[in-house]
């Protein structure tokens, strides 16, 4: 009997960074459910149109994606995992198109901002912002655009049949996005956890939050993330979203019991295994002392349009 593919809801289309994260976490045997918004991914899970959701929650350059924290609390689907994805941005075009033919560059505005050094080198290129990196690559392929390149990932170039004419044009080579993996309560499989995502409120009194944080510290529980969000319609009240990590479960269990005394509306959003970064020797880039100059595509640079 053929095993059914795992259905994974993502924001965006195939070959987006969300699909790349899904493939990295679940493997190749998945069915991607494309959604126009993060809310739609949660609706797909709620309506049994998907088994899991992969959702970006923070980027090392752009910071936290604040609206997604509200979705975590409003839908109350458990977080069962996380994945950190290096963001590598490439310049891609239709096969046979040379750089000299290019007039326009299209991508998501965040991706464009992450490639500012590249565009400083080629000021004649006109920037066109779009809602999705992969959608830009797909548009070039669908419309056979010979004067336009997209900024997207390897997956997009492969899926939509584009040639990468310049690799790794992002200015910061250590940029990554953290994605959360969520599912319905009935799909949760208990695994040994060493990380949790929590949400709670504290009283508006001097030292209230400090008491909670001191409990974590005294029990050896590492707080790897804290994010505050105002409680809708309530002045000076905040939800605190906290990620904590531990070595022994008893540390975490004891911390939760103690902080319950000082918090209200306490929620465990998920308990899961933290992502362990894989570092291989070939990924270690050696740099020589002093500032190194990046050489991009070798073409005659055109004067900036007046």
């Amino acid at each position: 009997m053929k095993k059914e593919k795992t259905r994974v809801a993502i924001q965006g289309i195939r070959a987006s960074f969300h699909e790349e994260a899904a493939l990295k976490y679940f493997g190749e045997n998945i069915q991607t459910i494309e959604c126009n918004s993060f809310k739609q991914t949660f609706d797909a899970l709620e309506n049994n149109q998907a088994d899991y959701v992969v959702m970006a929650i923070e980027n090392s350059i752009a910071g936290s994606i604040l609206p997604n924290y509200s979705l975590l609390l409003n839908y109350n689907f458990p977080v069962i995992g996380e994945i950190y994805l290096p963001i590598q941005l490439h310049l891609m075009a239709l096969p046979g198109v040379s750089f000299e033919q290019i007039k326009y560059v299209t991508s998501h505005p965040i991706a464009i901002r992450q490639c500012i050094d590249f565009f400083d080198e080629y000021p004649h290129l006109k920037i066109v912002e779009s809602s999705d990196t992969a959608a830009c690559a797909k548009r070039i392929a669908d419309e056979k655009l010979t004067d336009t390149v997209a900024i997207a990932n390897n997956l997009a170039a492969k899926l939509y049949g584009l040639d990468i004419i310049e690799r790794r044009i992002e200015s910061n080579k250590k940029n990554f996005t953290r994605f959360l993996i969520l599912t319905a309560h009935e799909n949760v499989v208990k695994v040994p956890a060493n990380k949790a995502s929590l949400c709670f409120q504290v009283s508006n009194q001097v030292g209230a939050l400090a008491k909670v944080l001191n409990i974590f510290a005294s029990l050896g529980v590492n707080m790897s993330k804290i994010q505050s969000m105002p409680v809708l319609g309530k002045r000076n009240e905040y939800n605190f979203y906290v990620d904590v990590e531990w070595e022994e479960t008893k540390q975490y269990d004891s911390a939760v019991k103690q902080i319950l005394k000082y918090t209200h509306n306490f929620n465990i959003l998920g308990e899961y295994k933290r992502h362990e970064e894989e570092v291989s020797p070939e990924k270690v880039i050696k740099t020589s002392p002093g500032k190194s100059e990046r050489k991009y595509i070798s073409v005659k640079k055109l004067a900036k349009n007046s």
Side-chain angles (χ1 to χ4, degrees):
M1 184 177 177
K2 188 177 179 180
K3 183 181 178 182
E4 291 187 5
K5 290 186 175 182
T6 300
R7 302 170 301 167
V8 183
I10 62 167
Q11 186 274 324
I13 68 171
R14 290 199 59 200
S16 64
F17 284 105
H18 273 85
E19 186 180 50
E20 187 176 348
L23 291 168
K24 187 175 180 181
Y25 188 87
F26 292 102
E28 298 289 332
N29 192 37
I30 64 171
Q31 176 189 352
T32 302
I33 309 298
E34 300 175 347
C35 300
N36 293 327
S37 67
F38 288 112
K39 184 181 183 302
Q40 282 188 13
T41 66
F42 281 76
D43 289 338
L45 183 56
E46 187 173 56
N47 298 327
N48 197 31
Q49 296 169 333
D51 304 307
Y52 297 92
V53 165
V54 173
M55 180 184 73
I57 196 67
E58 62 180 304
N59 175 266
S60 58
I61 294 177
S64 297
I65 305 174
L66 297 180
N68 289 358
Y69 282 95
S70 297
L71 289 174
L72 290 175
L73 195 59
N74 293 340
Y75 280 83
N76 196 32
F77 289 126
V79 180
I80 62 159
E82 64 176 359
I83 191 79
Y84 285 80
L85 185 70
I87 302 302
Q88 299 180 357
L89 298 168
H90 311 301
L91 203 68
M92 56 193 67
L94 284 176
V97 171
S98 66
F99 190 77
E100 287 83 355
Q101 296 174 255
I102 303 305
K103 297 178 182 178
Y104 305 97
V105 180
T106 181
S107 194
H108 190 281
I110 292 179
I112 291 169
R113 288 200 298 270
Q114 291 172 4
C115 302
I116 190 66
D117 290 343
F118 178 85
F119 296 119
D120 284 345
E121 292 287 307
Y122 306 101
H124 65 282
L125 295 175
K126 296 180 181 179
I127 308 300
V128 180
E129 295 185 351
S130 184
S131 60
D132 186 84
T133 55
C136 293
K138 185 176 185 296
R139 177 172 170 259
I140 290 175
D142 290 346
E143 300 180 19
K144 307 298 181 187
L145 302 178
T146 58
D147 62 351
T148 305
V149 288
I151 301 172
N153 58 12
N154 266 320
L155 202 59
K158 181 179 179 181
L159 182 64
Y160 302 117
L162 303 184
D163 283 350
I164 294 178
I165 59 178
E166 182 74 359
R167 292 185 177 275
R168 303 299 304 276
I169 67 170
E170 72 275 8
S171 301
N172 189 326
K173 307 303 179 189
K174 296 182 179 179
N175 182 22
F176 63 86
T177 297
R178 178 187 176 215
F179 296 82
L180 297 180
I181 317 299
L182 302 102
T183 191
H185 288 275
E186 57 268 23
N187 293 339
V188 174
V189 177
K190 191 73 174 177
V191 297
N194 55 14
K195 187 170 184 177
S197 294
L198 312 174
C199 180
F200 54 80
Q201 299 170 27
V202 296
S203 59
N204 187 21
Q205 296 177 353
V206 174
L209 180 60
K211 290 178 181 177
V212 174
L213 303 185
N214 285 334
I215 290 172
F216 286 136
S218 66
L219 292 170
V221 175
N222 177 47
M223 186 182 66
S224 58
K225 168 86 176 180
I226 183 169
Q227 180 70 55
S228 63
M229 288 278 289
V231 177
L232 190 63
K234 295 187 178 181
R235 184 168 170 261
N236 294 331
E237 290 191 31
Y238 296 86
N239 283 316
F240 291 96
Y241 295 86
V242 174
D243 292 333
V244 293
E245 303 175 3
W246 60 90
E247 297 301 325
E248 297 183 16
T249 304
K250 63 181 179 181
Q251 298 171 288
Y252 167 68
D253 290 341
S254 181
V256 169
K257 289 178 182 177
Q258 292 190 40
I259 67 175
L260 285 173
K261 305 173 188 175
Y262 304 101
T263 63
H264 55 278
N265 294 332
F266 181 89
N267 286 276
I268 298 176
L269 301 175
E271 298 170 343
Y272 48 95
K273 293 189 70 172
R274 65 174 174 260
H275 173 77
E276 301 293 344
E277 185 177 3
E278 300 173 2
V279 180
S280 56
E282 59 268 21
K283 290 185 179 179
V284 179
I285 303 174
K286 295 182 180 179
T287 56
S288 57
K291 185 178 179 180
S292 60
E293 184 179 355
R294 169 69 195 267
K295 299 295 184 183
Y296 292 111
I297 300 165
S298 179
V299 295
K300 182 180 179 181
K301 296 178 186 177
L302 304 179
K304 190 173 183 179
N305 293 335
S306 57

